[in-house]
Amino acid sequence: DILAAATGPGAVTPVAAEAVAAERQGDGWAVLLADGRRLRSDALVLAIGNEAPAGLAALAGLGEHYVAN
């Protein structure tokens, strides 16, 4: 029931913007965006992306024959 409520229609609104600050306000969050807008949310997710994986040490000697992608 909790998962259904959190992911149901209208529960999540994607915002294409850079968040520059967030502070707790009561039982939710106030988020300041780089363009000056302020948003109020019930929850906050820090999504920083994925870093590139480290190369495989066993293949380090292959030089240009190994492409780490």
Side-chain angles (χ1 to χ4, degrees), residues 22-59:
E23 63 182 27
R24 198 77 155 126
Q25 283 192 345
D27 61 350
W29 292 89
V31 181
L32 175 63
L33 304 179
D35 63 10
R37 290 182 292 162
R38 289 184 174 273
L39 304 177
R40 168 92 171 83
S41 68
D42 295 330
L44 185 65
V45 175
L46 178 60
I48 58 173
N50 295 326
E51 292 186 29
L56 299 172
L59 303 177

Side-chain angles (χ1 to χ4, degrees), residues 6-22:
T7 60
V12 176
T13 304
V15 177
E18 178 184 358
V20 294

